[in-house]
Amino acid sequence: MASTAPIHLFKRFSSTATTTTITTKLTPSKSHLHAPIPPNLFPSGYLLTGLHIGVKKSTPSPQKPDLAIILSTSPNPTSAAACFTRNAFRAAPVTVSEDVLVQTGGRARAVVVNSGCANAVTGKKGLDDAWSMVKATDALLPPPSKATPPYTHKPTGETLVMSTGVIGQPLPIDLILAGIASQSPSLPTRTFNTDFFAWERAAKAFMTTDTFPKLRARQFIINGREYKIAGIDKGAGMIHPNMRAAATNFPSTSARQLHATLLGCVMTDAPVSPRSLQSALTYAVDRSFNSISVDGDMSTNDTIIALANGAGSPVQARIQEIDEEADQETYLEFRNALTEFMQELAKLVVRDGEGATKFVTVTVKGAPSYKDAHAIASRISTSALVKTALYGEDANWGRILAATGSVPLSSPSSGPPITSQPTVSIDPTRVSVTFIPADGSPSFPVLMNGEPENVDEVRAKHILQLEDIELEVDLGLGKEQATYWTCDFSYEYVRINGDYRS
């Protein structure tokens, strides 16, 4: 349970100033969410580093990393996929990374990330700077293997770029390029490695207002062969992603689905074709990063990248890549493993929400479509009234209903509306709301089929004092459901964002 501390609010009436003291909960420590990872869980064929080059404001010693570089050194082809923000003011690195994927047909062998400056709303100079980062990182790559299919035309680059930090400021590009160049294979200062500490340094270089580096790794089995997957992400504020698939012309992603800044990079040594990696990533993002919210604000830089380098397979002249059209069953195994792993990464962002004291799971079930369930779960998760009630440990379930009822439902068909089949509406007499305690005690219904329950306020308070809370809303209209992960709103969130640039 979070501890408490007083804060002072100053009120002015005419010429008289008064001080009001209120008690606020301190943000729980997140240190337990980061621990060393055994080296045998990290995927093969990747080199990483994290450097401090001075993009971030000066910090006390030791200086914090603000530049991460990830290289795929596999002799097998490396597939790449991405989902990008839908924000109209999308940042230069988003535009450049999508261009790279289009030019290469979903192949890339490096990722470069800077924190401290978003390179967003920076005009032509911002685009030029992002391309400079691509070219400088490309120079660190080994020559392509003979196993890599040749490009139909030489692409502008093989590096994807991500940036995070303050919007509207130009990159200190000279510092960044010097930092990248310092990792040249010919220099003794090169710090690339494959161990936990290299992955950790890279994860720390992603961070802005994050309180811990977000790094996870695990093994998974497909067709009897063991592969590994690792992921780094960052985010604590300006979190309500709505990302779409990269604009590569793969048939499986041509129909766009639902989809401080959210950044993430997932790396596996499984062999996956570019089109199937993009398809799997789009599906997984919709059920992970597109299903989280801290404050309801979409960033200009939201990006999730996936790399699959096939290093976990025997070296052959041409390896058999997992492909949804060639072997759908194997593809679905990979897609499901990726989705489960990305949900774990996405939850770390919510747990580190700026000023958050609660981790909240919102499940909407009994919906006529997944789209409806997802939209309602999103609305509940972004309601300031719901989130402040959770912070105050007040079981004000009327706010949950108000948020639920504000979302118009779509047609029960996932396709175009059918004129003979009217749009379904929420029926208040079918709706139920339940609090599910994280301590394993019985569920706590507050509304059943539109009728309020006799609420035990003492038990309700006990449930809401837990750090983990689950809210379940059953619409009673269908069989589809969706889950969102969110957090509460606290005084600390206002403090952090009130002086973010100062």
Side-chain angles (χ1 to χ4, degrees):
M1 189 184 305
S3 57
T4 60
I7 64 171
H8 304 285
L9 301 180
F10 294 91
K11 297 181 180 180
R12 184 173 296 279
F13 302 95
S14 301
S15 60
T16 303
T18 63
T19 302
T20 299
T21 301
I22 58 178
T23 300
T24 176
K25 297 188 293 293
L26 297 178
T27 305
S29 170
K30 312 295 174 65
S31 59
H32 63 286
L33 296 171
H34 178 64
I37 297 173
N40 64 322
L41 293 182
F42 290 109
S44 304
Y46 293 99
L47 287 175
L48 296 91
T49 192
L51 310 168
H52 175 77
I53 58 169
V55 180
K56 290 179 180 174
K57 297 175 183 178
S58 58
T59 56
S61 182
Q63 294 177 317
K64 298 178 180 179
D66 49 18
L67 179 72
I69 306 172
I70 301 167
L71 305 181
S72 172
T73 58
S74 171
N76 292 318
T78 300
S79 297
C83 287
F84 298 115
T85 183
R86 294 178 185 269
N87 197 300
F89 290 95
R90 66 187 205 153
V94 174
T95 299
V96 167
S97 292
E98 187 160 42
D99 284 349
V100 169
L101 288 174
V102 170
Q103 291 180 28
T104 63
R107 301 283 187 186
R109 294 191 290 149
V111 178
V112 60
V113 185
N114 78 269
S115 55
C117 179
N119 193 14
V121 198
T122 46
K124 183 178 182 301
K125 177 68 164 55
L127 290 170
D128 291 343
D129 287 347
W131 277 117
S132 296
M133 292 171 69
V134 170
K135 293 173 182 176
T137 309
D138 279 354
L140 306 181
L141 287 165
S145 165
K146 293 180 180 179
T148 303
Y151 297 116
T152 54
H153 63 279
K154 186 175 181 180
T156 308
E158 292 184 87
T159 296
L160 304 179
V161 188
M162 295 191 287
S163 298
T164 179
V166 178
I167 295 170
Q169 295 183 359
L171 284 175
I173 191 61
D174 291 342
L175 291 177
I176 291 174
L177 296 182
I180 297 171
S182 73
Q183 300 305 295
S184 171
S186 61
L187 295 177
T189 56
R190 183 175 162 99
T191 59
F192 282 108
N193 212 323
T194 61
D195 59 19
F196 165 74
F197 299 103
W199 287 84
E200 184 184 48
R201 284 196 303 272
K204 288 181 176 179
F206 276 59
M207 295 168 59
T208 50
T209 59
D210 306 63
T211 64
F212 66 93
K214 299 170 178 63
L215 172 64
R216 290 292 185 269
R218 66 168 65 169
Q219 299 169 334
F220 62 100
I221 306 292
I222 293 182
N223 288 339
R225 179 174 290 277
E226 180 184 277
Y227 297 106
K228 298 166 188 174
I229 188 169
I232 297 169
D233 63 348
K234 65 82 54 184
M238 196 181 283
I239 302 295
H240 188 77
N242 183 22
M243 293 177 281
R244 61 163 178 80
T248 44
N249 296 318
F250 302 128
S252 60
T253 59
S254 59
R256 300 282 169 78
Q257 304 176 22
L258 281 174
H259 306 296
T261 297
L262 172 82
L263 299 183
C265 187
V266 176
M267 294 138 280
T268 180
D269 55 14
V272 188
S273 70
R275 67 180 177 184
S276 292
L277 184 62
Q278 183 64 69
S279 179
L281 182 68
T282 303
Y283 179 93
V285 163
D286 190 33
R287 288 155 179 80
S288 58
F289 290 100
N290 276 359
S291 295
I292 63 172
S293 186
V294 169
D295 46 26
D297 282 309
M298 182 200 303
S299 171
T300 56
N301 292 57
D302 288 338
T303 302
I304 298 293
I305 289 169
L307 301 178
N309 68 6
S313 296
V315 177
Q316 301 172 358
R318 188 172 182 83
I319 63 169
Q320 184 67 40
E321 294 182 320
I322 296 170
D323 187 85
E324 58 187 313
E325 293 187 9
D327 185 348
Q328 188 177 46
E329 184 177 346
T330 299
Y331 162 76
L332 291 176
E333 285 187 52
F334 170 75
R335 187 194 72 178
N336 294 340
L338 177 66
T339 301
E340 182 182 345
F341 181 70
M342 290 181 62
Q343 286 175 344
E344 181 181 0
L345 283 175
K347 290 176 185 179
L348 293 177
V349 174
V350 177
R351 289 194 179 278
D352 201 23
E354 290 172 346
T357 70
K358 309 289 183 187
F359 176 81
V360 187
T361 301
V362 179
T363 300
V364 175
K365 57 192 291 189
S369 70
Y370 174 80
K371 180 180 178 182
D372 289 325
H374 192 271
I376 293 173
S378 172
R379 181 66 188 90
I380 295 169
S381 298
T382 55
S383 166
L385 291 177
V386 171
K387 290 161 77 74
T388 50
L390 292 169
Y391 175 72
E393 298 170 353
D394 177 13
N396 194 340
W397 53 268
R399 294 180 175 183
I400 299 171
L401 283 183
T404 300
S406 69
V407 180
L409 300 185
S410 63
S411 165
S413 168
S414 60
I418 303 172
T419 55
S420 61
Q421 192 173 22
T423 300
V424 173
S425 298
I426 290 177
D427 181 350
T429 66
R430 295 186 179 186
V431 177
S432 300
V433 177
T434 304
F435 289 81
I436 302 176
D439 61 5
S441 60
S443 298
F444 187 70
V446 294
L447 183 78
M448 294 299 292
N449 296 318
E451 294 292 333
E453 296 288 288
N454 186 16
V455 175
D456 180 347
E457 294 292 348
V458 174
R459 180 156 187 254
K461 183 75 171 178
H462 169 74
I463 291 172
L464 292 177
Q465 285 176 336
L466 299 172
E467 186 174 334
D468 285 27
I469 303 166
E470 182 173 354
L471 309 177
E472 181 181 278
V473 177
D474 190 340
L475 302 181
L477 296 175
K479 298 181 179 180
E480 296 294 328
Q481 71 176 50
T483 298
Y484 238 81
W485 296 279
T486 189
C487 57
D488 56 347
F489 263 159
S490 70
Y491 300 108
E492 180 68 4
Y493 177 85
V494 177
R495 187 198 66 76
I496 291 169
N497 286 280
D499 61 2
Y500 184 77
R501 296 200 309 161
S502 56

